[in-house]
Amino acid sequence: MSDYFDVIDNGDGTITVSAAILGATSGLTTAADLFTVAVHGAQTGAGTLAISDYKLRDLDNADFFATVAGADVLVDCTPPDVPGLFPEPTYTQGTSNTLAWSDMAASGAIEYLIQRAEDAGFTLGLADSGWIAGLSHLFGGLADGQIYHYRVKARDVLLNESAWSAAEFSTQDDTAPVTAVDPLATYQGAASWNLSYAASDATSGVATVELFYQFAGGAWQSLGAVGASPVSFMALDGDGLYGFYTVGTDGAGNVELAPAAADAETTLDTMPPAGTFVINANAAYTNTLAVSLDSGISDLHPPLEMRFSNDGVGFSAWEAYAAARAWTLAAGADGPRTVWAEFKDAVGNVYAVQDAIVYDATAPAGISGLALETGHHKITVTWNDPSTADLAGLEIYRGVYRDAAYVSAYPEYDDLPGATMPARPANRAAAYASPEWELAGTALPGDEIFVDAGAPRGVYVYQVFTVDVALNYGPGQAGPPYLPTHGKANYWLGDVDDYGTGDGFYDGFVNIGDITVMAATFGLCDGAGGYNNEVDVGPTSNNSPQGIPTTDSCIDFEDLIIIAINYGEVAPLATPPAGAGDPVFTWYRIDENTWGFGLLEPGVGLQGLRLCATLPEGMAPQVTAGQGLLAAGRHFLANIEAGGLDANLALLGTPHAFTAAGELLRVTLPAGVAPTDLAITARSTDNAALHFTLDDTAIPELPTVYRVAQNFPNPFNPKTAIRFDLPEAQVARVAVYGADGRLVKQLLDRTLPAGFHQVVWDGTDSAGAQVASGVYFYSVQAGPLSETRKMLLMK
């Protein structure tokens, strides 16, 4: 090895070789080849090569000597045979080309050199492989569309080179062909159609075109290589969407990439549209010639068109499809009508269909016998259906005795400014449009009854309209404008106790709770504290306890008798029991301070009465129930003190009439005061005024024995009545004691006349404080009468 080497041909058959190691060095310390001599020439054979002279220098540049041996060298200057370059195709795919040649090893070749050029003279774009041992070489980075020329030569171990081989050439083709299916019509009406396509390749040309198709979005399928455009396609998958694309291959073998989507699409449609077609949503009848043609037509391949006819011959013009279309039926008398329809899809497939409907413009007859019946939170409406053959149902409309805001006038009615009854509607359309009327409900033919429940309290009137199968409405009930007497209340008069909730909830019974509410406001008029206008239910429009309140703004006997008759589980009024004679009353003086009012003959159906008399101004009598009233059962007794003597009593219940004679009440006044101008009002169980006779000479039967009755009610909260009988006048003492024997309260200690008496304990002690729940005892002492009984206060 050396850092400097030089060879000089001396021209005399000798050469001079100079070599040196440059720079600081330790010199050659091991055996090594200094240089190699290769002999070239056209001759072959043996020859001698010797070193004639040499000069060696050491590290100090001093000459030193060495032994030099000669060598016999075999000289061979014959080149190997020319390799044969294998033929090249006209076109080579891609941007590289692998060249191959024949093996010349038999002639001594061990390496080959392959050249590439862009011209036949191998001057332009020249490149080579370098000497390689293989029999092939790949040239990369070749340009698309460029013609390349190639040649190869060989050399042997002595570097003898062969001549160049015959050249081969090939054009590089790195571009795939471009193909596409031509656009298709949106729809196909037949299962076979032609497909045209375009195909091009600028270099090696299109070799084959492969056709692919897809049905209904499914997998793509190959139809193989196709011939010249156009080609015939047979759709074997049936109606639906078909997509197509092509893939081309050129002469160099470049294959076109499949597109991301179809080149062309078309829809095969051999089926006509299908669906439904009806008149007026499939109604069987119509009461007008103007109808709606309703359809639900579907087709895989819109747009759709439609047309119609009343006779199946003359059709309207084709128009865009719509699910509903206004149409006028053929004119004429009532009877069937037919409409023909045709629906056409985009391909021209036509679906023909028809529907029929019965034209009926004749209204049904109206109802008869409309009647109303009061109930709890309801009114029962009854009627008689007409004999109309095609009657489909009935609509029940309700109107209310109202204020200016169309709200029920309850409970004031005629006292409410602007209160009015609804106007009678001319027909069902007028009722439907009027704010005074609302649809309460419907009924089927044959029902002939409707219960209108849940409306707010009020007085209601009703109109019932018949409707036939064609929705023709019959007339309502004709007549003069509505009056309050035409209506019915949807609640029981006297059901006024809402249990203090204030929420308007009533239980549908007239019972002790309602009597308590009435008692709290009895005798008061509008403007007075404690007046309750819900209790002002009398007088009524026809004096009936189920009539319409014609309020007088005072809570008095008119309200008492209505509530008394309706007391209990309210039911339709019963006819008073048959019998003859009017009641006979008696008014008598018992002692200096006491008067009695009695019933000598009960007559027929007496349920309540009012006893009025004139007293000095500011005088308030004490009015207590007589034995005859107590014996008659549940009752109400109150005196309106503002009127002097204005005693109002009634038996509670329907029907509940006096059936036996007896003392009805007693009136106690200060000594020297006598009532004058006695006036009596008597009412029957249907609130009719009763004729009566007054006999002021007779006295009802007095008790014949001393007797103490059990308090009533018992248990009680907070009041109970203690009753006792005195056959003669006595000093009477009544007291209440606790279970421990302690006096709780003295109830009575004075002289009483002969008769039937009662005293009420209100559950308070002598100080007026309410006592606790528990067992108490009451003691009655009067002459020979001395009796104690137990009672229970339960809170």
Side-chain angles (χ1 to χ4, degrees), residues 180-184 194-198 229-231:
V181 178
D182 293 342
L184 291 166
N194 286 334
L195 296 171
S196 297
Y197 66 87
S229 176
V231 296

PDB file of all heavy atoms in Angstrom, residues 180-184 194-198 229-231:
ATOM      1  N   ALA A 180     -64.709   4.886 -18.824  1.00  0.00           N
ATOM      2  CA  ALA A 180     -65.904   5.299 -18.070  1.00  0.00           C
ATOM      3  C   ALA A 180     -67.146   4.919 -18.842  1.00  0.00           C
ATOM      4  O   ALA A 180     -67.175   5.027 -20.075  1.00  0.00           O
ATOM      5  CB  ALA A 180     -65.891   6.806 -17.806  1.00  0.00           C
ATOM      6  N   VAL A 181     -68.165   4.493 -18.062  1.00  0.00           N
ATOM      7  CA  VAL A 181     -69.466   4.199 -18.672  1.00  0.00           C
ATOM      8  C   VAL A 181     -70.172   5.515 -18.917  1.00  0.00           C
ATOM      9  O   VAL A 181     -70.205   6.394 -18.047  1.00  0.00           O
ATOM     10  CB  VAL A 181     -70.306   3.288 -17.745  1.00  0.00           C
ATOM     11  CG1 VAL A 181     -71.678   3.032 -18.356  1.00  0.00           C
ATOM     12  CG2 VAL A 181     -69.575   1.989 -17.491  1.00  0.00           C
ATOM     13  N   ASP A 182     -70.725   5.660 -20.094  1.00  0.00           N
ATOM     14  CA  ASP A 182     -71.434   6.887 -20.421  1.00  0.00           C
ATOM     15  C   ASP A 182     -72.697   7.015 -19.573  1.00  0.00           C
ATOM     16  O   ASP A 182     -73.279   6.006 -19.139  1.00  0.00           O
ATOM     17  CB  ASP A 182     -71.822   6.893 -21.902  1.00  0.00           C
ATOM     18  CG  ASP A 182     -70.603   6.973 -22.811  1.00  0.00           C
ATOM     19  OD1 ASP A 182     -69.529   7.369 -22.314  1.00  0.00           O
ATOM     20  OD2 ASP A 182     -70.738   6.605 -23.994  1.00  0.00           O
ATOM     21  N   PRO A 183     -73.148   8.278 -19.279  1.00  0.00           N
ATOM     22  CA  PRO A 183     -74.374   8.484 -18.485  1.00  0.00           C
ATOM     23  C   PRO A 183     -75.559   7.737 -19.088  1.00  0.00           C
ATOM     24  O   PRO A 183     -75.663   7.578 -20.316  1.00  0.00           O
ATOM     25  CB  PRO A 183     -74.578  10.001 -18.549  1.00  0.00           C
ATOM     26  CG  PRO A 183     -73.208  10.549 -18.792  1.00  0.00           C
ATOM     27  CD  PRO A 183     -72.531   9.550 -19.679  1.00  0.00           C
ATOM     28  N   LEU A 184     -76.450   7.277 -18.160  1.00  0.00           N
ATOM     29  CA  LEU A 184     -77.641   6.524 -18.553  1.00  0.00           C
ATOM     30  C   LEU A 184     -78.891   7.327 -18.233  1.00  0.00           C
ATOM     31  O   LEU A 184     -78.868   8.229 -17.388  1.00  0.00           O
ATOM     32  CB  LEU A 184     -77.698   5.192 -17.803  1.00  0.00           C
ATOM     33  CG  LEU A 184     -76.631   4.164 -18.180  1.00  0.00           C
ATOM     34  CD1 LEU A 184     -76.575   3.052 -17.139  1.00  0.00           C
ATOM     35  CD2 LEU A 184     -76.915   3.591 -19.563  1.00  0.00           C
ATOM     36  N   ASN A 194     -78.637  -0.977 -23.644  1.00  0.00           N
ATOM     37  CA  ASN A 194     -77.248  -0.843 -24.091  1.00  0.00           C
ATOM     38  C   ASN A 194     -76.469   0.084 -23.176  1.00  0.00           C
ATOM     39  O   ASN A 194     -76.987   1.093 -22.691  1.00  0.00           O
ATOM     40  CB  ASN A 194     -77.185  -0.315 -25.522  1.00  0.00           C
ATOM     41  CG  ASN A 194     -77.580  -1.365 -26.547  1.00  0.00           C
ATOM     42  OD1 ASN A 194     -77.445  -2.567 -26.298  1.00  0.00           O
ATOM     43  ND2 ASN A 194     -78.070  -0.924 -27.694  1.00  0.00           N
ATOM     44  N   LEU A 195     -75.207  -0.311 -22.951  1.00  0.00           N
ATOM     45  CA  LEU A 195     -74.271   0.509 -22.194  1.00  0.00           C
ATOM     46  C   LEU A 195     -73.158   0.963 -23.137  1.00  0.00           C
ATOM     47  O   LEU A 195     -72.510   0.155 -23.796  1.00  0.00           O
ATOM     48  CB  LEU A 195     -73.656  -0.290 -21.043  1.00  0.00           C
ATOM     49  CG  LEU A 195     -74.593  -0.777 -19.934  1.00  0.00           C
ATOM     50  CD1 LEU A 195     -73.838  -1.726 -19.008  1.00  0.00           C
ATOM     51  CD2 LEU A 195     -75.120   0.403 -19.155  1.00  0.00           C
ATOM     52  N   SER A 196     -72.914   2.245 -23.202  1.00  0.00           N
ATOM     53  CA  SER A 196     -71.786   2.792 -23.972  1.00  0.00           C
ATOM     54  C   SER A 196     -70.692   3.182 -23.006  1.00  0.00           C
ATOM     55  O   SER A 196     -70.959   3.573 -21.856  1.00  0.00           O
ATOM     56  CB  SER A 196     -72.235   4.024 -24.765  1.00  0.00           C
ATOM     57  OG  SER A 196     -73.217   3.665 -25.712  1.00  0.00           O
ATOM     58  N   TYR A 197     -69.461   3.047 -23.461  1.00  0.00           N
ATOM     59  CA  TYR A 197     -68.360   3.457 -22.609  1.00  0.00           C
ATOM     60  C   TYR A 197     -67.276   4.083 -23.476  1.00  0.00           C
ATOM     61  O   TYR A 197     -67.187   3.860 -24.676  1.00  0.00           O
ATOM     62  CB  TYR A 197     -67.793   2.270 -21.812  1.00  0.00           C
ATOM     63  CG  TYR A 197     -67.122   1.200 -22.644  1.00  0.00           C
ATOM     64  CD1 TYR A 197     -65.768   1.286 -22.983  1.00  0.00           C
ATOM     65  CD2 TYR A 197     -67.855   0.095 -23.103  1.00  0.00           C
ATOM     66  CE1 TYR A 197     -65.161   0.307 -23.741  1.00  0.00           C
ATOM     67  CE2 TYR A 197     -67.251  -0.893 -23.862  1.00  0.00           C
ATOM     68  CZ  TYR A 197     -65.915  -0.782 -24.185  1.00  0.00           C
ATOM     69  OH  TYR A 197     -65.305  -1.748 -24.935  1.00  0.00           O
ATOM     70  N   ALA A 198     -66.438   4.876 -22.826  1.00  0.00           N
ATOM     71  CA  ALA A 198     -65.290   5.497 -23.489  1.00  0.00           C
ATOM     72  C   ALA A 198     -64.019   4.927 -22.870  1.00  0.00           C
ATOM     73  O   ALA A 198     -63.985   4.645 -21.663  1.00  0.00           O
ATOM     74  CB  ALA A 198     -65.327   7.010 -23.294  1.00  0.00           C
ATOM     75  N   SER A 229     -67.776  -0.792 -27.589  1.00  0.00           N
ATOM     76  CA  SER A 229     -68.942  -0.029 -27.137  1.00  0.00           C
ATOM     77  C   SER A 229     -69.874   0.207 -28.319  1.00  0.00           C
ATOM     78  O   SER A 229     -69.399   0.491 -29.428  1.00  0.00           O
ATOM     79  CB  SER A 229     -68.480   1.302 -26.553  1.00  0.00           C
ATOM     80  OG  SER A 229     -69.573   2.102 -26.197  1.00  0.00           O
ATOM     81  N   PRO A 230     -71.205   0.124 -28.136  1.00  0.00           N
ATOM     82  CA  PRO A 230     -71.890  -0.226 -26.884  1.00  0.00           C
ATOM     83  C   PRO A 230     -72.000  -1.729 -26.693  1.00  0.00           C
ATOM     84  O   PRO A 230     -71.831  -2.493 -27.647  1.00  0.00           O
ATOM     85  CB  PRO A 230     -73.257   0.413 -27.082  1.00  0.00           C
ATOM     86  CG  PRO A 230     -73.501   0.298 -28.554  1.00  0.00           C
ATOM     87  CD  PRO A 230     -72.160   0.514 -29.208  1.00  0.00           C
ATOM     88  N   VAL A 231     -72.333  -2.124 -25.414  1.00  0.00           N
ATOM     89  CA  VAL A 231     -72.552  -3.537 -25.119  1.00  0.00           C
ATOM     90  C   VAL A 231     -73.956  -3.672 -24.559  1.00  0.00           C
ATOM     91  O   VAL A 231     -74.512  -2.748 -23.966  1.00  0.00           O
ATOM     92  CB  VAL A 231     -71.519  -4.064 -24.115  1.00  0.00           C
ATOM     93  CG1 VAL A 231     -70.120  -4.009 -24.709  1.00  0.00           C
ATOM     94  CG2 VAL A 231     -71.586  -3.295 -22.809  1.00  0.00           C
TER      95      VAL A 231
END
